[in-house]
Amino acid sequence: MQTATIQTAAPLLEVSDFSLHRGAAAVLDRVGLTLRPGETLGLIGESGAGKSTLAMAVIGLLREPEVGLSGSLRFHGEELTGLAEARYRKLRGNRIGLIFQDATAALNPCYTVGAQIAEPLRRHLGLSKWDARERAVELMTSVGIPEPRLRLNAYPHELSGGMQQRVMIAIALACNPELLLADEPTSALDVTIQAQIMELILERVRALNSSAIFVLHDLALGAQVCDRIAVMYAGQIVEEGPSAEVLARPLHPYTRGLKSCVVELGSEDLQPIPGQVPPLNAMPEGCRFAPRCPKAQDVCRRERPAPETRDGRQVACWFID
Amino acid sequence: MLGSAAAKLGQTLLVLLIVSVASFAFLKLAPGDPVSIMLGSDFSQGAYDQLVHDLGLDRPMAVQYWHWLAAFVKGDWGTSYITSQDIFELAVMQALPVTLTLAALSLLVALVIGIPAGVLAALHRNSWVDVAATALAIGGNAFPSFYLGIILIWVFGVGLGWFPTLGFVAPWEDFWQGLWHLVLPAITLGAWYVGLIARITRSSLLEVLGQPYIQAARARGEPGWRVVWVHGMRNVLMPLVTVIGLQLGGMLRGAVMTEVVFALPGLGMMVTTAVLNREYIVVQAGIMLTGLLFVVVNLAVDQTYQFLDPRLRRRT
Ligand SMILES: Nc1ncnc2c1ncn2[C@@H]1O[C@H](COP(=O)(O)OP(=O)(O)O)[C@@H](O)[C@H]1O
Ligand SMILES: [Mg+2]
C-alpha cells in the first residue's frame, strides 16, 4: 500500500464527533475516524464496546426514532446522518457492504443462497434474472465455493459454516462496494478455517481496491491485517493510528492492557485488564476507562480527555508519556 | 425422515381407529331399537328374531364392528328412516361440499383481514394501530359465532337488504349467487379466525424482524416492503400454517353454529337435524366424516409445513 497517496486522497469515510444514544445512555460517545480509499482499519475492543453499533450506524441500520444520532458521518463527503432513506438504500449493499458475525443467522433460511446473492445484483446493478445468476456463479467462484452451479440452489442449512460465511462475503462484495464493513467475520467459525476466511476477505478487498473496517477483538490480528487500528473502549475511541506503531508503542493504558494480554496469555477468553466495562447507564463523568486504569488521577475522574494528535496518531488520555 | 413419516402414519391410523370405534359404539349405545323401528308398530317375535339374525345383530360385537367398518369403507352407509335418502349421498355428496366451501371462504376472509392487521400491528407496535388491531382480534374472538351471525343478518340482511339472510345456492351451479349467499356466513365464521391469525402474524413477525437475516436483507439495500413481505412473511408462514392446523377443531365447531344460524345444508346442519330427529345413524355418519376430515386436513397441514420449511424438505 502506498501510504503517501492514501494520506493525500480525499477521505472515503469521515466520522466526526459522532454519538449514538439509546435513551439516556451514550452507546457511542463522540467518535471520530477517517478512512481513506483503499485503506483498511481494524476496530478493536472488548465485547460491548460499541463496535457493531458503529458498523451498523455507518450502513444506516440504526435510524429508528428511538436511536438518537448526533455529530457527522460522511461518505464521499455526503452527510449520512440525515440522508433520505431512499438514497441510503442505494448505498447499502451497493457502495457499502456488510459482513455479519454469524453467517448462519444472517442468511434467510427460506431462500436459496443463489437467490440471496442475486438480490443486490438485481436491485443495484439492474441485472436480469439470468445475468444475476451467472454473476452469482462468478462471485461464488471468487470466494472459493466449489461447484457453484450446484450450490446456487442450495439452502443455507445445507452448507457448512465456512461455506455460509463465503456466501455472505459474496453478497457483501457483489456490487464491488468502496467500503466493506466486516463485523467479527470469523469469530463464529471453526478455528481451523478462521485464518482462511480472513485471508479470503483481505484478498477480495485488495482485488476490488476497496476500503474496509474490520471489527475484531484481537489487537495483534488487527495490527497484522489492517493498515490502521482504532481501539474502542465503552463507546469511545481511545487510540487510533498506524497498525505497526500502535502495536509497537501503545500510548493509551487500555491499548497497553490489551497488548500485554495478547502477548502474555495469548487468549482472548481471559480478562486482560482487571475490572469490568461500566454499564451504559452508569458511565463515569470523566475518562470512561478511569475506574480500571492503573494510572488514573483526579483529573481523569473529573474530566474527559479530548483526543490529541501525536505523530499521526490520536490518543484520548490525560497522561500520554 | 422415514421414521417420522411412519410415526405419522401410525398416529393417523390410531386416530381413525378411535374415531370409528367411537362412532360404532355411539350407534350401539344410542337409545331406541333400530329393529323395532324398521319393523313398524306390529310384528311377531319370529319376524323380530329373523331380522336381528339377518342384520347380524346376534353376532359378537367385534364381528359386527368389522362388518360395519367394511360397509362404511364401501360407502354403504345405510338409508335415512325419515327421508329414505342414501346417507352416503346425503353426507358426502350434499353436506360435505357445503361445509368445505364455507370453511375455505371463511379462512380466506380471515387471512385477507387477519394478515394485514397483524403486519400493521407489528410494524406500528404499541401505537394506536396496534391497539386497534388487538381490539379487533379480541373482539373477533369474544363474539360467539351465532351472535355475530344474527347481528349481521339484522344489519346487512334484514336492515340494509344487501345480502340474502338464509339458504344456500351451490357456487358450482351458480357462482355469483352462491358467493352472494355465503358472504355473511363466511364473515361470521371467519371473524373468529381473524383475531387468531392477526395475533400469530403480529407476534411471529415481531420475532422474525429481530433476526439477523432481516438486518442482512436491509444491509443489502432491500426496501422496507420487501424486507417485511418477502423476507419476513416467508418465515411467518410456517407458524401461521401450524396454528391454522391446530385450530381446525374450533373451525368445525364454528361451522356447525354458522350453518344452523344461516340454514346452510352442511355437515353441521345435517348432524343437528339428525340429533333433533334422533336419527342416530346419520349422526354417526357425521362423526365419522368429521373425524376423517380432521385427519386428512391435519395430514395436509403437515405436508404443507414440510414443504414450506426448506430445513424439513426432503431432497429429491
Ligand atoms: N438493540 C439494542 N438495544 C439496546 N442496547 C443495545 C442494542 N444493541 C447493542 N446494545 C448495547 O450497546 C452496547 C454496544 O454493543 P455492541 O455494539 O454490540 O458492542 P460490540 O460489537 O463492541 O461487542 C452494549 O452495551 C449493548 O448492550
Ligand atoms: Mg459486536
Side-chain angles (χ1 to χ4, degrees):
Chain A
M1 206 121 314
Q2 299 118 315
T3 318
T5 53
I6 286 176
Q7 291 302 326
T8 51
L12 178 70
L13 179 73
E14 235 182 329
V15 181
S16 47
D17 213 22
F18 182 69
S19 300
L20 185 147
H21 284 81
R22 289 185 189 276
V27 180
L28 297 177
D29 185 34
R30 288 165 283 181
V31 169
L33 268 183
T34 302
L35 192 69
R36 291 174 198 282
E39 207 172 26
T40 53
L41 175 87
L43 197 57
I44 318 292
E46 281 170 280
S47 175
K51 308 179 297 292
S52 301
T53 303
L54 181 56
M56 295 299 253
V58 167
I59 205 169
L61 291 184
L62 295 175
R63 310 185 87 211
E64 302 92 339
E66 62 266 27
V67 176
L69 305 182
S70 61
S72 144
L73 280 179
R74 285 172 176 276
F75 182 71
H76 270 309
E78 185 174 18
E79 182 56 51
L80 296 181
T81 46
L83 197 64
E85 181 59 20
R87 171 95 187 105
Y88 221 136
R89 269 208 310 272
K90 292 200 164 68
L91 300 179
R92 283 186 208 122
N94 184 22
R95 298 174 65 190
I96 306 177
L98 177 61
I99 299 176
F100 288 74
Q101 180 171 356
D102 182 359
T104 310
L107 288 168
N108 193 323
C110 290
Y111 294 105
T112 62
V113 299
Q116 296 183 63
I117 299 174
E119 219 168 32
L121 296 168
R122 300 200 62 191
R123 174 152 310 279
H124 299 299
L125 308 183
L127 296 190
S128 69
K129 203 168 176 174
W130 173 257
D131 289 343
R133 269 180 86 83
E134 288 307 300
R135 180 79 187 113
V137 169
E138 290 172 25
L139 282 164
M140 287 165 91
T141 311
S142 77
V143 294
I145 297 177
E147 297 186 275
R149 261 174 219 287
L150 209 65
R151 295 273 158 77
L152 211 52
N153 297 317
Y155 285 91
H157 74 274
E158 295 171 309
L159 303 182
S160 68
M163 283 300 150
Q164 288 172 347
Q165 194 56 296
R166 286 174 196 267
V167 170
M168 282 309 296
I169 297 168
I171 293 173
L173 296 176
C175 302
N176 300 352
E178 293 140 279
L179 174 60
L180 175 73
L181 308 169
D183 188 355
E184 304 198 34
T186 63
S187 59
L189 299 177
D190 202 294
V191 279
T192 54
I193 56 169
Q194 286 186 351
Q196 205 182 331
I197 294 292
M198 199 70 204
E199 197 45 55
L200 169 70
I201 301 175
L202 283 169
E203 184 259 312
R204 293 314 303 155
V205 166
R206 283 191 206 107
L208 299 175
N209 206 11
S210 307
S211 304
I213 296 180
F214 286 92
V215 171
L216 301 165
H217 50 226
D218 182 341
L219 180 66
L221 176 64
Q224 186 192 326
V225 300
C226 301
D227 302 328
R228 301 176 74 82
I229 289 286
V231 179
M232 263 190 115
Y233 182 80
Q236 299 175 337
I237 292 188
V238 293
E239 176 160 11
E240 194 267 338
S243 296
E245 289 173 38
V246 173
L247 189 67
R249 205 166 61 86
L251 293 178
H252 196 281
Y254 179 63
T255 317
R256 231 171 280 144
L258 278 184
K259 184 191 164 191
S260 66
C261 148
V262 172
V263 171
E264 286 164 21
L265 305 166
S267 161
E268 59 243 347
D269 297 333
L270 296 164
Q271 194 147 49
I273 301 151
Q276 275 174 349
V277 186
L280 280 176
N281 52 13
M283 278 297 168
E285 288 253 325
C287 175
R288 288 185 165 190
F289 185 59
R292 293 172 78 182
C293 183
K295 298 166 71 181
Q297 307 287 318
D298 276 351
V299 62
C300 305
R301 285 182 273 271
R302 233 181 17 245
E303 255 179 276
R304 174 186 189 253
E308 227 175 275
T309 307
R310 212 177 255 206
D311 319 327
R313 296 166 66 175
Q314 295 223 16
V315 190
C317 179
W318 287 114
F319 298 99
I320 308 169
D321 35 34
Chain B
M1 217 60 227
L2 211 65
S4 86
K8 194 79 207 164
L9 188 67
Q11 201 185 347
T12 305
L13 289 177
L14 188 68
V15 171
L16 286 176
L17 180 74
I18 292 170
V19 168
S20 66
V21 169
S23 355
F24 177 72
F26 174 80
L27 204 56
K28 286 288 147 191
L29 294 173
D33 174 9
V35 179
S36 39
I37 293 174
M38 287 170 97
L39 284 171
S41 52
D42 199 23
F43 52 85
S44 65
Q45 188 60 38
Y48 184 88
D49 293 341
Q50 184 60 43
L51 188 54
V52 165
H53 182 74
D54 287 350
L55 290 173
L57 297 178
D58 51 353
R59 287 197 255 170
M61 278 294 166
V63 177
Q64 286 191 45
Y65 167 75
W66 181 251
H67 280 270
W68 169 83
L69 192 63
F72 189 90
V73 170
K74 276 188 287 184
D76 185 3
W77 295 10
T79 41
S80 159
Y81 311 137
I82 292 172
T83 60
S84 318
Q85 218 182 345
D86 182 61
I87 294 173
F88 180 82
E89 169 90 18
L90 173 70
V92 178
M93 313 300 274
Q94 290 174 17
L96 182 63
V98 175
T99 302
L100 289 183
T101 312
L102 173 64
L105 269 182
S106 307
L107 191 59
L108 189 71
V109 167
L111 291 172
V112 164
I113 302 173
I115 290 180
V119 170
L120 272 178
L123 295 185
H124 302 274
R125 184 155 52 142
N126 302 332
S127 75
W128 66 269
V129 182
D130 190 11
V131 174
T134 310
L136 177 83
I138 294 173
N141 265 348
F143 271 88
S145 290
F146 65 87
Y147 187 58
L148 180 64
I150 289 168
I151 289 181
L152 288 178
I153 288 176
W154 274 353
V155 176
F156 296 99
V158 179
L160 296 169
W162 291 356
F163 298 99
T165 54
L166 292 174
F168 178 77
V169 173
W172 47 94
E173 275 159 16
D174 184 339
F175 185 75
W176 292 112
Q177 267 299 317
L179 215 56
W180 205 233
H181 278 77
L182 279 169
V183 170
L184 293 185
I187 292 175
T188 303
L189 181 52
W192 185 82
Y193 245 27
V194 167
L196 181 78
I197 287 174
R199 250 184 315 126
I200 296 301
T201 303
R202 178 185 184 276
S203 61
S204 307
L205 186 59
L206 279 177
E207 200 206 309
V208 165
L209 290 182
Q211 297 297 315
Y213 57 78
I214 291 296
Q215 292 204 313
R218 293 174 63 207
R220 264 174 254 160
E222 288 295 290
W225 66 269
R226 256 186 74 92
V227 171
V228 171
W229 290 99
V230 178
H231 292 276
M233 284 309 282
R234 177 65 181 78
N235 286 277
V236 170
L237 272 184
M238 278 111 43
L240 207 51
V241 165
T242 306
V243 167
I244 290 173
L246 284 175
Q247 290 303 319
L248 212 69
M251 181 72 130
L252 281 177
R253 275 194 298 281
V256 173
M257 205 98 85
T258 309
E259 284 171 9
V260 173
V261 170
F262 288 92
L264 300 177
L267 278 179
M269 192 63 163
M270 179 189 90
V271 173
T272 310
T273 314
V275 168
L276 292 176
N277 292 336
R278 306 193 178 217
E279 245 195 317
Y280 298 112
I281 187 167
V282 177
V283 177
Q284 172 256 158
I287 298 174
M288 273 300 270
L289 199 54
T290 316
L292 266 176
L293 195 63
F294 207 78
V295 166
V296 168
V297 178
N298 262 317
L299 280 177
V301 166
D302 223 61
Q303 287 306 304
T304 310
Y305 191 93
Q306 300 225 352
F307 174 76
L308 284 176
D309 191 341
R311 287 160 292 191
L312 299 177
R313 214 178 292 166
R314 226 175 299 178
R315 298 296 286 172
T316 44

